[in-house]
């Protein structure tokens, strides 16, 4: 059966594929494919078969191969050539190495109805294999999602419990009104309570923001905003929270560059900048964090935060802005994901890269200008 246009093959078992390899059929098939004959193969999946398949695919694009799952495998090896002739060979004993001993009855046909029935079988299994692959992929995604959600619940429970414990403990001490609590101790206890209460507020806010972003219901109160004013507000908040950190300098020259106006939610953009600054501080033990702003020809404002810290782990860089991605044991891994959701809700985009000159990383986001 000399093929001119198309070959369809279903191998009943992995051993059937191997037996054909020994007979030189795969080599002959390669030569046919090189002549431009489009070939589709359905075969069970095994390491040696995968290796052979990869080699065939690299050598020619005219070949497509899918792996049939056990539930879709047949007891008959089927060959269809140009949809004009067919050969169906029954499997008698799959344990035999010899094709002669392994094969049972074989039937060749060039009758249109017979050939088209085998074509129909092939196309049906081909589509089912595709659907099975998609279902398997979805199942894996659901497993990953279930795992990440479970991890998040554990992380969130831990993160929420961490600030609650000192709040309750110190509040109980203050309520007892013990005489040995001096005014400085009283002020210190209150400071710890306030700091942890703010942390608790931030955590609950992140969880609520996650729900809003997931449901596409994040609300934006847009107004014309001067980027400088947003930057300065975020800087003031961050500096007050890190007043004891003298090893990291945050540099921002509000006078440098153009005055840039965007139509945005002031609080949300402040949240993004604060998230990025906190992230930079967390990974910069000593050095500088530089904030810059500029206009882009495409009608966007570009805000960058560059640090001299440890940089981004290459392993997590591709999924840096996805949920629950984090490098350390601290935090929920939601800050960058929420920042991405806020920026994209404004019609902008956010990205990050390791610095090519020197150490550290740069986080950048864009916002449409107020035209």
């Amino acid at each position: 059966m000399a093929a001119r246009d198309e070959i369809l093959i279903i191998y009943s078992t992995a051993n059937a594929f191997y037996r054909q390899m020994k007979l030189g059929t795969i080599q002959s098939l390669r030569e046919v494919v090189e002549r431009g004959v489009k070939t589709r193969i359905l075969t069970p999946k095994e390491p040696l078969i995968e290796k052979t398949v990869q080699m065939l695919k690299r050598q020619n694009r005219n070949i497509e191969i899918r792996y049939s799952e056990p539930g879709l495998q047949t007891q008959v090896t089927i060959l269809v050539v140009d949809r004009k002739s067919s050969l169906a060979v029954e499997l008698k004993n799959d344990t035999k190495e010899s094709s002669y001993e392994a094969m049972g009855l074989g039937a060749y046909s060039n009758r249109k109805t017979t050939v088209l029935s085998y074509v129909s079988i092939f196309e049906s299994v081909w589509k089912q294999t595709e659907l099975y692959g998609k279902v398997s992929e979805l199942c894996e995604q659901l497993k990953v999602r279930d795992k990440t959600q479970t991890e998040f619940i554990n992380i969130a429970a831990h993160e929420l419990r961490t600030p609650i414990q000192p709040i309750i403990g110190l509040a109980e001490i203050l309520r007892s009104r013990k005489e040995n609590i001096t005014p400085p101790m009283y002020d210190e206890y209150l400071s710890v309570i306030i700091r942890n209460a703010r942390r608790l507020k931030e955590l609950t806010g992140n969880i609520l923001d996650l729900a809003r972003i997931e449901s596409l219901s994040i609300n934006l109160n847009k107004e014309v905003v001067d980027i400088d004013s947003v930057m300065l507000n975020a800087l003031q908040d961050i500096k007050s929270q890190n007043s004891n950190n003298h090893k990291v300098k945050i540099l921002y020259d509000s006078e440098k560059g153009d005055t840039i106006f965007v139509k945005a939610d002031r609080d949300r953009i402040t949240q993004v900048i604060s998230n990025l600054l906190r992230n930079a501080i967390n990974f910069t033990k000593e050095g500088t964090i530089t904030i810059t702003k500029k206009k882009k020809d495409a009608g966007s404002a570009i805000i960058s935060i560059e640090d001299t810290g440890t940089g981004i782990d290459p392993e997590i860089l591709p999924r840096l802005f996805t949920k629950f991605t984090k490098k350390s044991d601290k935090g929920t891994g939601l800050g960058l994901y929420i920042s991405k959701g806020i920026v994209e809700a404004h019609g902008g985009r956010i990205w990050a890269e390791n610095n090519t000159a020197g150490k550290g990383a740069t986080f950048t986001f864009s916002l449409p200008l107020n035209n």
Side-chain angles (χ1 to χ4, degrees):
M1 295 189 292
R4 292 185 178 182
D5 301 311
E6 181 187 52
I7 293 177
L8 308 176
I9 303 175
I10 298 179
Y11 287 107
S12 56
T13 65
N15 286 338
F17 186 95
Y18 295 141
R19 284 190 289 268
Q20 292 302 309
M21 282 183 65
K22 288 181 180 179
L23 288 173
T25 306
I26 303 300
Q27 177 60 35
S28 300
L29 185 64
R30 185 187 305 167
E31 294 170 1
V32 171
V33 171
E34 287 173 355
R35 295 204 311 265
V37 177
K38 292 183 179 179
T39 302
R40 286 187 288 162
I41 298 174
L42 283 163
T43 178
K45 188 176 184 178
E46 282 199 359
L48 181 56
I49 294 177
E50 282 188 275
K51 187 177 179 181
T52 306
V53 163
Q54 288 170 2
M55 180 184 66
L56 287 170
K57 283 184 173 180
R58 281 198 303 267
Q59 291 174 345
N60 203 298
R61 293 183 180 180
N62 285 325
I63 190 165
E64 285 186 77
I65 301 174
R66 288 183 183 170
Y67 299 110
S68 54
E69 298 298 326
L72 299 176
Q73 292 169 16
T74 68
Q75 289 297 303
V76 179
T77 293
I78 299 171
L79 169 66
V80 178
V81 176
D82 293 335
R83 305 199 177 206
K84 293 179 180 178
S85 57
S86 65
L87 176 65
V89 181
E90 179 190 23
L91 179 65
K92 184 172 68 174
N93 189 341
D94 196 42
T95 62
K96 300 294 183 179
E97 291 188 13
S98 164
S99 293
Y100 178 78
E101 294 178 291
M103 292 187 302
L105 295 174
Y108 167 80
S109 178
N110 57 9
R111 289 181 60 190
K112 187 175 182 180
T113 53
T114 303
V115 174
L116 290 181
S117 68
Y118 285 125
V119 171
S120 178
I121 291 170
F122 180 91
E123 296 293 357
S124 176
V125 178
W126 185 264
K127 288 178 181 178
Q128 287 181 62
T129 302
E130 182 182 14
L131 289 172
Y132 194 96
K134 289 180 179 178
V135 170
S136 298
E137 186 179 342
L138 286 172
C139 285
E140 288 302 316
Q141 290 175 1
L142 287 172
K143 286 179 183 177
V144 171
R145 186 169 183 175
D146 183 61
K147 182 182 177 183
T148 54
Q149 285 183 339
T150 302
E151 288 175 352
F152 170 68
I153 291 169
N154 293 333
I155 291 167
H158 172 74
E159 290 292 322
L160 290 169
R161 189 165 54 246
T162 301
I164 287 173
Q165 288 173 339
I167 289 173
I168 294 173
L170 293 175
E172 291 285 355
I173 292 173
L174 292 177
R175 190 175 67 171
S176 68
R177 298 181 180 178
K178 292 181 179 178
E179 295 179 359
N180 60 347
I181 300 177
T182 63
M185 290 172 63
Y186 190 89
D187 290 340
E188 183 183 348
Y189 290 169
L190 280 178
S191 296
V192 173
I193 289 172
I194 292 169
R195 184 170 65 250
N196 281 281
R198 284 175 176 164
R199 174 61 181 153
L200 195 57
K201 180 183 177 183
E202 181 188 345
L203 286 168
T204 53
N206 281 346
I207 293 170
L208 289 171
D209 282 341
L210 172 64
R212 292 186 186 109
I213 290 169
E214 293 282 275
S215 62
L216 302 176
S217 61
I218 187 167
N219 292 320
L220 300 177
N221 298 314
K222 289 186 178 182
E223 58 180 316
V224 178
V225 175
D226 181 357
I227 285 294
D228 281 327
S229 66
V230 178
M231 292 282 200
L232 293 171
N233 286 340
L235 276 171
Q236 187 177 0
D237 291 342
I238 291 296
K239 285 181 177 179
S240 65
Q241 294 169 20
N242 295 272
S243 56
N244 295 325
N245 188 347
H246 302 295
K247 293 184 177 181
V248 178
K249 289 185 178 180
I250 301 176
L251 306 176
Y252 176 63
D253 187 354
S254 60
E255 301 298 324
K256 189 175 180 180
D258 299 323
T259 301
I260 300 175
F261 292 95
V262 295
K263 194 165 187 179
D265 186 316
R266 179 185 295 273
D267 292 337
R268 288 298 188 181
I269 299 305
T270 302
Q271 182 182 352
V272 171
I273 296 169
S274 296
N275 280 345
L276 297 181
L277 284 172
R278 269 194 294 270
N279 188 73
I281 290 169
N282 287 339
F283 294 100
T284 307
K285 292 182 179 179
E286 187 174 355
T288 58
I289 296 170
T290 306
I291 309 171
T292 58
K293 68 179 192 301
K294 65 179 179 180
K295 288 181 182 177
K296 199 173 181 181
D297 294 338
S300 297
I302 306 294
I303 297 94
S304 295
I305 296 174
E306 180 181 353
D307 64 60
T308 57
T310 56
I312 306 165
D313 188 336
E315 183 185 346
I316 68 170
L317 186 56
R319 51 189 174 86
L320 189 62
F321 292 96
T322 57
K323 284 180 295 186
F324 317 130
T325 298
K326 56 180 189 166
K327 186 178 178 181
S328 68
D329 294 331
K330 297 179 181 179
T332 56
L334 290 176
L336 293 179
Y337 175 75
I338 290 169
S339 297
K340 179 176 181 285
I342 292 171
V343 169
E344 290 182 349
H346 280 83
R349 69 184 190 94
I350 188 168
W351 64 96
E353 57 192 352
N354 283 315
N355 299 330
T356 53
K359 57 184 180 179
T362 300
F363 285 76
T364 306
F365 68 95
S366 66
L367 293 171
L369 292 170
N370 180 56
N371 295 322

